[in-house]
Amino acid sequence: MGATTYRTSPIKRRRRTREEIQALKLALYEIVRDLHPVTVRQVFYQAVSRGLVEKTEAEYKTTVARLLVKLRREGIIPYSWVTDATRWMRKPRTYDSLEQALMEAARYYRRALWTDAPVYVEIWCEKDALAGVLYEVTELYDVPLMVGRGFSSLSYLHEAAEDMRAVGKPVHVYYFADHDPSGLVAMRVAERELRAFAPDVELHFHHAAVTWEQVERWNLPTRPTKRTDSRAKRYGNKPSVELDAIPPDRLRALVRECIERHIDPGLLERLEQVEREERRALMHIAAHGLGAVLRRG
């Protein structure tokens, strides 16, 4: 089955009735409920694939995005279910007391998963808006999530290459990006610069998504390729496909599959058991041992 085409030109359609709007809001709620965390554009693609809205930019902006705002303001959809990693702030973590700092450290204590592993794995994502969708998988497996935002800067690539060199073992990079002229070139540039900055590293660079085979196998929605893009000539006549077009549950499963290729199936379970035991020990020290130390001091 071929990929469906994303239409950008506006189409004339009748205004939805109040009942139709309510039905659409319910359908959008069910999509977010089943797939969260999810981006607004991912919800749009799911709505398109289910025949709920037309595949136009107007429907994305004035229907899906607008209704998702309403659903969150009305308290129907929790804000945390719709992710947006494009905006963030920097602030150092501070504490009211030493006890609070120790309790916080104990609560979030993690054992390093990859210390004794024969390889090192990184997940690279071109789109920062999807970081919140992927992070719950990379965080579980203690894998770095590298967000390049299109064409990564040389400073970013150099720092990443230096980190790879410091690891001292073969590195596997799984790259997730749009299948369009800029996305594919950005991926090739990232691979080229990483190899140039770390020539002594055994680097295995994988194009994880979006591949054209995935577009055809999953019948992903496409959009016309921007002919104003200077890289479009070499791209040919193919349409473009956004990474957001992959359903979020399938996208997370793909990330999980990439990582689990390099993990002993029982290792994570054993590590989690050790974590639980050591976390309890830390909590005990934070709750009981610190007071005695402070009194002696």
Side-chain angles (χ1 to χ4, degrees):
M1 183 182 293
T4 55
T5 303
Y6 178 75
R7 184 165 56 240
T8 56
S9 58
I11 61 170
K12 291 184 178 180
R13 54 159 298 154
R14 67 177 181 82
R15 191 180 184 88
R16 289 183 176 91
T17 66
R18 180 173 299 181
E19 290 75 18
E20 288 172 332
I21 289 292
Q22 288 302 116
L24 180 54
K25 288 172 69 174
L26 176 60
L28 294 178
Y29 165 77
E30 291 174 345
I31 290 172
V32 179
R33 178 198 63 193
D34 295 341
L35 299 177
H36 72 87
V38 63
T39 66
V40 174
R41 189 164 285 276
Q42 285 181 316
V43 176
F44 167 67
Y45 278 123
Q46 286 300 299
V48 167
S49 67
R50 301 177 192 198
L52 300 173
V53 298
E54 295 287 345
K55 203 167 8 176
T56 67
E57 193 67 14
E59 285 278 71
Y60 166 68
K61 291 179 178 178
T62 64
T63 301
V64 174
R66 180 177 60 84
L67 290 179
L68 287 177
V69 169
K70 278 181 166 291
L71 288 166
R72 281 174 285 175
R73 291 193 184 280
E74 292 169 358
I76 297 172
I77 290 180
Y79 283 92
S80 61
W81 285 7
V82 181
T83 181
D84 179 7
T86 63
R87 296 166 177 83
W88 50 281
M89 66 97 170
R90 292 184 176 94
K91 181 186 180 300
R93 183 177 292 276
T94 55
Y95 305 94
D96 295 329
S97 66
L98 186 55
E99 290 94 336
Q100 185 190 35
L102 287 174
M103 292 295 287
E104 189 85 350
R107 188 176 298 114
Y108 295 104
Y109 170 73
R110 291 285 304 273
R111 267 268 182 158
L113 176 61
W114 299 89
T115 300
D116 299 321
V119 300
Y120 173 72
V121 175
E122 290 184 350
I123 300 297
W124 283 57
C125 180
E126 176 198 16
K127 309 185 83 167
D128 50 5
L130 289 173
V133 176
L134 305 185
Y135 181 69
E136 70 174 35
V137 179
T138 58
E139 186 268 344
L140 174 65
Y141 291 97
D142 191 23
V143 168
L145 175 60
M146 312 291 288
V147 180
R149 301 189 69 179
F151 284 86
S152 300
S153 69
L154 281 182
S155 296
Y156 184 80
L157 293 168
H158 181 267
E159 183 176 349
E162 288 296 298
D163 289 342
M164 292 175 184
R165 297 183 68 186
V167 168
K169 59 179 69 173
V171 175
H172 288 263
V173 168
Y174 291 91
Y175 199 94
F176 291 75
D178 292 344
H179 196 293
D180 63 13
S182 293
L184 295 180
V185 172
M187 178 180 66
R188 289 195 291 269
V189 169
E191 179 181 7
R192 183 191 69 205
E193 297 300 337
L194 288 173
R195 293 190 185 281
F197 285 135
D200 51 338
V201 171
E202 182 183 327
L203 176 60
H204 302 269
F205 198 97
H206 310 272
H207 182 193
V210 177
T211 67
W212 195 254
E213 189 272 337
Q214 292 166 344
V215 175
E216 296 182 328
R217 174 156 48 100
W218 296 334
N219 191 32
L220 298 178
T222 67
R223 59 173 172 78
T225 298
K226 296 178 182 177
R227 291 299 141 188
T228 54
D229 189 332
S230 60
R231 306 168 188 89
K233 290 182 179 179
R234 294 187 178 183
Y235 187 73
N237 295 320
K238 283 183 179 179
S240 295
V241 184
E242 294 189 71
L243 185 59
D244 313 66
I246 300 179
D249 51 348
R250 179 170 284 165
L251 189 58
R252 285 189 286 265
L254 184 56
V255 173
R256 189 177 299 110
E257 177 187 321
C258 292
I259 296 172
E260 288 183 347
R261 295 172 190 171
H262 309 283
I263 294 181
D264 176 355
L267 176 61
L268 186 62
E269 183 177 348
R270 294 194 299 271
L271 196 69
E272 288 176 340
Q273 182 177 353
V274 173
E275 275 182 6
R276 287 192 294 270
E277 294 172 356
E278 293 180 338
R279 190 177 294 115
R280 281 196 295 267
L282 283 172
M283 296 287 281
H284 180 80
I285 293 172
H288 304 288
L290 179 63
V293 171
L294 292 177
R295 284 194 296 273
R296 286 199 302 269

